[in-house]
Amino acid sequence: MSDPDVELEARLAEQDSFEPPADFVEQANVSDPGIYEEFDDNWPDCWTRAADLLDWATEYTEVLDDSNPPFYEWFADGELNASANCLDRHLDDRGDEAAIEWVGEPTDEANRTYTYAELHREVNEFAAALRDLGVEEDDVVTMYMPMIPELPVAMLACARIGAPHSVVFAGFSADALATRMNAADSEYLVTCDGYYRRGDPLDHLDKANEGLAGVDHGTDTVVVDRLPNSDSFGHDRTDSQHSYADLVADHEGATVKPVARNAEDMLFLMYTSGTTGEPKGVKHTTGGYLSWASWTSHAVLDIKPEDTYFCAADIGWITGHSYIVYGPLALGTTTMMYEGTRDYPDRNRLWEIIEAYEANQLYTAPTAIRAFMKWGEEYPADHDLSSLRLLGTVGEPINPRAWKWYYKHIGDESCPIVDTWWQTETGGMMVTTLPGVGEMKPGSAGPPLPGVSADVVDVSGSPVGAGDAGYLVANKPWPGMLRTLYRNDERFIDEYWREYSQVDSDDSADWVYFPEDGAKLDEDGYITVLGRVDDVLNVSGHRLGTMELESAIVGVEGVAEAAVVGGDHEIKGEAVYAYVITEEGYEETEGLRDRIIEGVEDAIGPIARPEAVIFTPELPKTRSGKIMRRLLEDIANGDDLGDTSTLRNPDVVTDIQSRAGGD
Ligand code: WTA
């Protein structure tokens, strides 16, 4: 490094706050600091600002209906269609402009551009095809697809005919697909033959078929042929398996009138991990969710129609729903999709894409940033990244060092960074700085967005002072919030509202939403999110329930008991550590260890692969028989164990430590 670089590093290392760059502020969609007060004074009507970004088929007359909390309703008597908002209304001005720029993983294959007119046409054709297959309004259509353009086409086609979609991440296992299709009674699946991973074609249909075998009702399946030769893997296709290309060709030129949906009608379901083994079906609505995704894309990502915007997430997660598909397309911009991994064919790939497409925003996860940092600054330095105007991160806490690396080596100190805290359940961003307004503090997400009321409280629900750690809560509802857990109102209340809502004797309550994250507040009201406080791990920004992991492991022959905890990981943030007790008569062998790893991959997917499987004769338990997870975490991290006197079996600790490679 040259001397000025060393000086710069040293300066950045010490700096703990950064003003938004003046050039950025000048052109920002939101730059008036008065917006916080304005939204507070005018709550909940301030949310017309979000709803007004959309076209409504029937105008709403009421912003918030809070007559039956926590089942809040937003813009409830309005009607709209999400696909019309993402497509039809842009045709006049943006018909010939790119809606989606798709980059496939192989470098010798042509990339694909969908203009708004082309995307509109294919969505209409596929919507007509879905109808012909029998899909009716409110039927749940499952998608099990990687990052190919037919995924957003299918989502928007469903939205057009009022059929909620449920997208299952392509990296999830066959079992995970079956569980989700069964839970939603979903009779339709859109999937594909395969896709590329690190240069090799991967058989996806095999996994989909295996999943379908576990679905307890009949299904129609649509298969996109993404690989060059159809039937690349030679699967026999049955009568209930239809070719996407044939369906679209059969409906060439068809138009489908967008169905006017009530604002509160379900737009989609998204399953996410919770404390129990059973994934939660988070329900999002048409009006509130779409307003939220659009407003936050506008105010936080600063998206303008003429931008080329790049979110490097996967559409199989909520980030891709809100910030690859719905938010950007509702605003009429060009959204990018990249199929592959970030280091294929080499570590320049992402920077090549940004340079070639002159992307204006990059929104990614701290895990990715930490990997880039580890690879070295020479990769981005070799590319012209000057088109970038804004950087964003999401999914996990970002450490100040990674933040500063991102700021300097990707943003060239001229792009604001938005560290956006939110969840599947919130629909979109909740806590972050406004890039054209707020000072940035590396490591701290920022204040709640205007109109969002968030606080950090102690166990009794009282606000903690500045500097103290506590639990993050939201005190007021917001349009993008989940409405319930699919067919499980009770679990919805139990999981998110029971903990901190103060129910009075007359049964009225101050309803408080608890996202199950720990946080800290500073003297400026900035929130630093510390991580989950429930039994959910955050591995590379992906949520995994310890119960799901444990039940997968216990399902392996020879395993008697298992406890899973998260251990610190340099790149992934957290990694899966599994402590396993074998059954009588089974040896603690490498073979069993491999079968456990395989068992987890089969039940959930490769993202859940344990970093370490540690055999142990016993688990540390309290006198009341509860597993001391904190202790297992400390062992995984090689930390000092503190007080172990409350254990029923303190001797086991040294034994586990030696097996885990500690001292
Ligand atoms: C964590 C992803 C710190 C948090 C959009 C949350 C974060 C969970 C941040 C939701 C952030 C998300 N800083 N932690 N900026 N963003 N998280 O549902 O623990 O996949 O509860 O949604 O990720 O994960 P989910």
Side-chain angles (χ1 to χ4, degrees), residues 263-287:
E264 282 295 306
D265 282 343
M266 172 158 57
L267 178 61
F268 66 86
L269 265 179
M270 166 128 254
Y271 283 90
T272 187
S273 294
T275 326
T276 72
E278 212 179 307
K280 307 186 273 199
V282 171
K283 175 185 163 181
H284 281 296
T285 57
T286 313

Side-chain angles (χ1 to χ4, degrees), residues 120-129 248 250-256:
H120 177 260
R121 187 169 62 226
E122 192 159 322
V123 165
N124 271 276
E125 290 166 350
F126 193 54
V248 167
D250 289 349
H251 293 83
E252 197 186 335
T255 53
V256 173

Side-chain angles (χ1 to χ4, degrees), residues 354-561:
I354 290 171
E355 184 172 24
Y357 286 85
E358 299 181 23
N360 303 110
Q361 292 92 344
L362 174 65
Y363 190 35
T364 187
T367 290
I369 298 164
R370 288 191 293 263
F372 300 144
M373 188 162 89
K374 193 163 185 209
W375 296 342
E377 64 205 53
E378 57 272 29
Y379 299 99
D382 260 357
H383 300 274
D384 178 3
L385 305 180
S386 60
S387 57
L388 288 172
R389 188 172 83 238
L390 172 137
L391 303 174
T393 95
V394 57
E396 332 146 55
I398 180 162
N399 42 313
R401 221 180 119 230
W403 192 103
K404 288 174 184 173
W405 190 91
Y406 197 31
Y407 187 70
K408 174 171 187 284
H409 295 291
I410 309 304
D412 196 25
E413 292 189 85
S414 62
C415 301
I417 296 182
V418 285
D419 172 358
T420 60
W421 176 87
W422 59 290
Q423 325 176 282
T424 304
E425 292 86 342
T426 69
M429 300 158 181
M430 297 286 279
V431 176
T432 174
T433 50
L434 284 169
V437 176
E439 188 183 71
M440 300 166 269
K441 300 186 189 185
S444 174
L449 281 172
V452 171
S453 173
D455 208 345
V456 180
V457 300
D458 63 19
V459 269
S460 69
S462 312
V464 299
D468 289 336
Y471 303 98
L472 185 61
V473 293
N475 298 313
K476 282 184 186 166
W478 64 99
M481 65 198 296
L482 80 164
R483 294 304 189 268
T484 191
L485 292 176
Y486 193 52
R487 296 177 176 163
N488 204 341
D489 290 347
E490 209 170 306
R491 188 171 175 198
F492 168 66
I493 294 179
D494 281 350
E495 294 253 354
Y496 304 108
W497 303 93
R498 188 79 72 200
E499 196 83 23
Y500 288 110
S501 301
Q502 309 282 340
V503 183
D504 300 327
S505 48
D506 66 358
D507 229 25
S508 68
D510 273 336
W511 290 93
V512 174
Y513 174 85
F514 179 40
E516 302 187 270
D517 271 338
K520 234 166 61 180
L521 197 69
D522 75 6
E523 58 288 350
D524 298 323
Y526 275 46
I527 292 170
T528 296
V529 179
L530 301 169
R532 307 282 309 186
V533 294
D534 55 2
D535 292 330
V536 172
L537 309 186
N538 190 332
V539 178
S540 303
H542 303 317
R543 271 164 73 167
L544 299 171
T546 49
M547 283 277 280
E548 282 171 90
L549 286 153
E550 286 165 8
S551 73
I553 296 174
V554 173
V556 174
E557 192 191 327
V559 174
E561 204 182 340

Side-chain angles (χ1 to χ4, degrees), residues 47-290:
W47 292 122
T48 54
R49 274 282 278 277
D52 285 352
L53 292 171
L54 305 178
D55 282 0
W56 293 77
T58 308
E59 279 298 325
Y60 56 89
T61 59
E62 189 183 30
V63 173
L64 169 64
D65 175 354
D66 58 359
S67 57
N68 183 26
F71 300 95
Y72 297 95
E73 299 194 338
W74 291 88
F75 320 117
D77 57 353
E79 290 184 319
L80 75 167
N81 181 283
S83 114
N85 271 285
C86 291
L87 300 169
D88 305 44
R89 66 176 180 149
H90 305 311
L91 291 178
D92 282 348
D93 289 345
R94 310 262 315 148
D96 296 332
E97 304 294 333
I100 296 177
E101 292 282 12
W102 177 80
V103 178
E105 195 194 76
T107 46
D108 56 359
E109 185 194 44
N111 295 326
R112 282 152 70 182
T113 302
Y114 282 71
T115 64
Y116 271 95
E118 287 163 345
L119 188 61
H120 177 260
R121 187 169 62 226
E122 192 159 322
V123 165
N124 271 276
E125 290 166 350
F126 193 54
L130 286 176
R131 268 216 182 129
D132 272 359
L133 282 181
V135 179
E136 291 181 7
E137 207 173 331
D138 294 320
D139 286 347
V140 176
V141 177
T142 302
M143 280 136 218
Y144 186 44
M145 292 160 96
M147 286 289 282
I148 55 176
E150 289 81 0
L151 174 54
V153 168
M155 292 162 76
L156 293 168
C158 283
R160 198 163 189 87
I161 59 175
H165 53 73
S166 163
V167 180
V168 178
F169 174 57
F172 272 146
S173 68
D175 283 0
L177 172 66
T179 311
R180 286 157 179 74
M181 287 190 74
N182 285 330
D185 278 336
S186 175
E187 295 177 351
Y188 301 92
L189 174 70
V190 188
T191 185
C192 71
D193 57 347
Y195 56 104
Y196 291 97
R197 261 302 168 272
R198 299 187 180 284
D200 294 322
L202 200 127
D203 188 346
H204 188 61
L205 189 55
D206 186 48
K207 218 166 50 156
N209 282 338
E210 199 187 316
L212 284 170
V215 173
D216 53 22
H217 51 259
T219 49
D220 275 297
T221 307
V222 179
V223 184
V224 177
D225 286 306
R226 186 268 172 267
L227 298 176
N229 312 310
S230 64
D231 289 329
S232 304
F233 294 99
H235 295 294
D236 291 332
R237 300 205 183 167
T238 61
D239 284 350
S240 63
Q241 294 203 313
H242 316 270
S243 144
Y244 175 92
D246 290 351
L247 286 181
V248 167
D250 289 349
H251 293 83
E252 197 186 335
T255 53
V256 173
K257 192 168 170 279
V259 171
R261 296 279 280 170
N262 184 273
E264 282 295 306
D265 282 343
M266 172 158 57
L267 178 61
F268 66 86
L269 265 179
M270 166 128 254
Y271 283 90
T272 187
S273 294
T275 326
T276 72
E278 212 179 307
K280 307 186 273 199
V282 171
K283 175 185 163 181
H284 281 296
T285 57
T286 313
Y289 169 83
L290 197 61

